[in-house]
Amino acid sequence: MSTWAGQPKVEGSTETIRMLLLTCVSVGITFTWGVEMTYCTPYLLSLGLSKGQTSMVWIAGPLSGLIVQPIIGVIADESKSKWGRRRPFIAVGSIIVACSMVALGFTKEIVVTFVADKQHAKVATIAVAVLALYVTDFAINAVMSCAKSLVVDTLPIQKQQTGAAWANRMGSLGHIIGYGMGAVDLIQLFGTRLGDTQFKQLTVIAALGILVTSTATCWAVTERVLVSVRHDPRRAQGHFKVVRQIWSTLLTLPPRIRAICWAVFWSWIGWFPFLIYSSTWVGETYFRYDVPGDARNTNDALGDMGRIGSTALAVYSTITFISAWILPMLIRAPEDSSFTPRPPVSIARWVAVLNSMKPDLLTAWVCSHLLFSFAMALTPFAASFRFATILVGMCGIPWSITIWAPSTFLGVEVSKMSGALDPSVSGIELRDNLRADLIDPEGGPASNSSGELSGVYFGIMNIYSTLPQLISTFISTLVFTVLEPGKSPELATDAHPSEHSDPDGPNSIAVCMFIGAIGSLAAAWATRKLRYV
């Protein structure tokens, strides 16, 4: 349908190295997300915001996903940059993320430089912190959108599940590194060279991480270059064509892609409060039930709560990482028609039995929803941070499948629509340099690249994941307003005791996660329907 120059290529002598480099940026993305998810909620609470106000700040995530990913996806789909369609957005977005993360960590120092009055500085600090959080969310969504599409564009259809699994593994590695560093006392380890608080040091490390990993991916991958676009009824024309493209594609989604999107929609009703508040919930559980009396009056409650929450999330991300390696070997891939070497005769019968017992990816996805729902249903009954840590750790397995399965199914569907199913293509282009001749998918040789419109379809799937986040934010705000309308007694130490919430009342975060369990049950039902679409 369109004219292209060259072929996609990834540097590296083995498939493992090529997959590592292709998905390396996922480490930086999830590391940054991990720092934000672990520390930003308690950080905002320490500035004097209530939980209800903090939940409204977190609307930045859904808004950025709703606006940025679909628009960037459409713009990137039609980009004719000589550097490719995805890498320029990854590079620029990573620089913006790095700058905004540092600004988030050093908000107070930035404000004091310009505002002398103490009361005005307090208000300005909140405003700058919220602005930096919004910029971070908007920029990292652009990077994430293009990173997903880059995998789909680069790999043939037979490698879509492998690529999604590798992105999941690298993302899990980023979480392990991020949460592991969050659980360590960085001040004691590094001194004050990177900042005088745990949070400041993590923001600097996250900024460096996103820059290094995105540079590695952008260097290693060579994209085919879009030369010209032929008329396609799926592409909108005229003014506001980006919005028109998204809207027209949204209205004409193929049934199977729409079913995938609805499964994602219901799953995010449950996942959003977990991802945003689980670290704070574990920390609050510790301060409520387990903290020694002489340790309550700490000079860095934010750092202490962050380390407790990071420990739980480090367990969770380790389980996610292990699952990301083991589960693909135990689950049948969709559209798996690739050649499998014949095993030795002595074990051939056992291999055949094991292969016949493998569940398919759809069944595993349904089970992951049920396991997550079970864990979230137990959160209101947690009276120990150890039990809370166990519940958080249990979610590592379903999260691994939640990240892996939708991208795999969508990548397969987009590849089919793009006519990229070529059984002769079995891997990434290795040895040939980027070819200077023009490749026409209608008349020329088959390309490794899969999804001509992958950006817009991944953007639309992201709409289905961000709308439930808005719903979940609204529900959380109501719960927080009713159950904990005051300021945090653990973190907002500058506030008068009369402004604090009752620490003996029900934990509102646990209630929000319990509500999310219902959404996960609906996700299991919607995912099961995929089998019949």
Side-chain angles (χ1 to χ4, degrees):
M1 296 171 62
S2 302
T3 305
W4 306 84
Q7 288 277 52
K9 171 188 171 185
V10 182
E11 301 293 335
S13 57
T14 66
E15 181 173 296
T16 298
I17 294 176
R18 296 192 295 275
M19 288 292 185
L20 281 168
L21 291 171
L22 175 62
T23 59
C24 183
V25 66
S26 297
V27 176
I29 292 171
T30 54
F31 185 101
T32 303
W33 274 125
V35 173
E36 190 177 334
M37 297 299 101
T38 303
Y39 278 88
C40 282
T41 294
Y43 178 58
L44 294 173
L45 293 174
S46 72
L47 295 179
L49 295 180
S50 67
K51 284 185 178 178
Q53 293 169 329
T54 301
S55 69
M56 294 307 297
V57 172
W58 276 116
I59 204 171
L63 278 179
S64 59
L66 186 64
I67 297 171
V68 173
Q69 287 208 28
I71 291 178
I72 292 296
V74 173
I75 295 174
D77 280 344
E78 299 188 354
S79 172
K80 298 178 183 177
S81 169
K82 64 179 180 180
W83 291 290
R85 298 189 297 169
R86 316 296 177 187
R87 290 179 299 162
F89 291 96
I90 293 175
V92 174
S94 297
I95 293 172
I96 296 174
V97 170
C99 294
S100 57
M101 280 300 291
V102 173
L104 185 62
F106 292 83
T107 301
K108 293 181 180 178
E109 287 75 9
I110 294 172
V111 169
V112 169
T113 304
F114 299 99
V115 182
D117 182 77
K118 187 175 181 179
Q119 189 60 35
H120 290 166
K122 185 176 180 179
V123 176
T125 299
I126 295 174
V128 173
V130 171
L131 177 62
L133 184 63
Y134 269 64
V135 173
T136 300
D137 274 351
F138 274 71
I140 204 169
N141 267 282
V143 176
M144 185 163 51
S145 173
C146 290
K148 289 179 180 178
S149 294
L150 186 66
V151 173
V152 174
D153 292 352
T154 306
L155 299 179
I157 193 170
Q158 295 91 338
K159 296 292 183 180
Q160 287 299 318
Q161 170 157 305
T162 303
W166 269 97
N168 186 14
R169 292 163 185 163
M170 298 298 278
S172 300
L173 179 61
H175 277 310
I176 290 175
I177 297 172
Y179 295 139
M181 296 189 74
V184 174
D185 191 338
L186 296 180
I187 302 298
Q188 185 177 5
L189 186 63
F190 295 129
T192 57
R193 287 186 293 273
L194 299 179
D196 57 5
T197 68
Q198 182 92 351
F199 182 52
K200 290 177 182 177
Q201 296 205 7
L202 282 171
T203 57
V204 172
I205 295 170
L208 294 174
I210 191 72
L211 291 176
V212 170
T213 56
S214 62
T215 298
T217 293
C218 290
W219 167 81
V221 179
T222 300
E223 299 180 70
R224 64 176 184 171
V225 177
L226 180 62
V227 177
S228 64
V229 181
R230 293 186 182 180
H231 174 70
D232 183 347
R234 292 176 293 178
R235 296 186 186 273
Q237 308 295 325
H239 299 295
F240 306 107
K241 65 177 182 179
V242 172
V243 177
R244 288 162 58 88
Q245 171 72 46
I246 295 170
W247 181 249
S248 62
T249 307
L250 187 62
L251 293 179
T252 58
L253 283 178
R256 189 163 176 80
I257 291 182
R258 189 179 299 278
I260 295 169
C261 289
W262 274 112
V264 169
F265 176 92
W266 288 109
S267 70
W268 273 94
I269 293 286
W271 279 109
F272 186 67
F274 172 85
L275 295 174
I276 296 296
Y277 302 119
S278 59
S279 172
T280 306
W281 171 63
V282 174
E284 287 184 346
T285 303
Y286 172 76
F287 272 88
R288 278 195 180 199
Y289 301 107
D290 301 285
V291 65
D294 57 352
R296 287 189 177 275
N297 298 322
T298 176
N299 294 325
D300 187 14
L302 171 61
D304 292 343
M305 183 174 288
R307 280 189 290 273
I308 293 295
S310 290
T311 301
L313 291 178
V315 174
Y316 150 82
S317 56
T318 301
I319 294 174
T320 301
F321 181 71
I322 295 172
S323 301
W325 282 96
I326 294 177
L327 291 179
M329 296 184 290
L330 304 178
I331 297 173
R332 293 200 313 273
E335 311 296 331
D336 187 4
S337 58
S338 58
F339 172 74
T340 302
R342 186 182 298 276
V345 176
S346 59
I347 62 171
R349 185 167 65 88
W350 299 107
V351 171
V353 171
L354 290 176
N355 287 336
S356 66
M357 294 173 60
K358 283 184 178 180
D360 58 25
L361 184 56
L362 189 61
T363 300
W365 195 9
V366 173
C367 293
S368 74
H369 295 313
L370 297 176
L371 178 58
F372 179 70
S373 179
F374 174 74
M376 292 299 96
L378 294 177
T379 53
F381 307 102
S384 162
F385 86 96
R386 293 179 179 83
F387 182 53
T389 299
I390 291 173
L391 293 180
V392 170
M394 284 176 58
C395 297
I397 296 174
W399 177 247
S400 177
I401 297 175
T402 297
I403 290 297
W404 163 33
S407 296
T408 298
F409 284 116
L410 185 61
V412 168
E413 295 303 317
V414 172
S415 296
K416 288 179 179 178
M417 293 171 61
S418 301
L421 182 56
D422 182 356
S424 66
V425 180
S426 60
I428 308 172
E429 179 70 25
L430 293 180
R431 294 170 289 276
D432 298 335
N433 292 327
L434 184 67
R435 292 164 48 187
D437 57 321
L438 298 182
I439 305 296
D440 185 344
E442 289 187 342
S447 168
N448 279 8
S449 184
S450 299
E452 185 175 333
L453 291 173
S454 62
V456 67
Y457 282 112
F458 272 103
I460 286 173
M461 186 171 75
N462 196 68
I463 291 176
Y464 277 83
S465 69
T466 51
L467 286 177
Q469 294 175 40
L470 293 173
I471 297 172
S472 184
T473 299
F474 176 72
I475 295 172
S476 298
T477 302
L478 290 179
V479 172
F480 293 152
T481 301
V482 173
L483 297 181
E484 294 188 59
K487 298 180 180 180
S488 170
E490 297 88 4
L491 296 169
T493 55
D494 293 337
H496 189 273
S498 62
E499 298 180 273
H500 290 160
S501 299
D502 180 8
D504 298 323
N507 189 293
S508 56
I509 294 178
V511 174
C512 292
M513 292 195 287
F514 180 84
I515 295 172
I518 302 172
S520 296
L521 290 177
W525 174 78
T527 303
R528 184 176 176 274
K529 287 181 63 178
L530 262 173
R531 197 176 300 279
Y532 309 105
V533 177

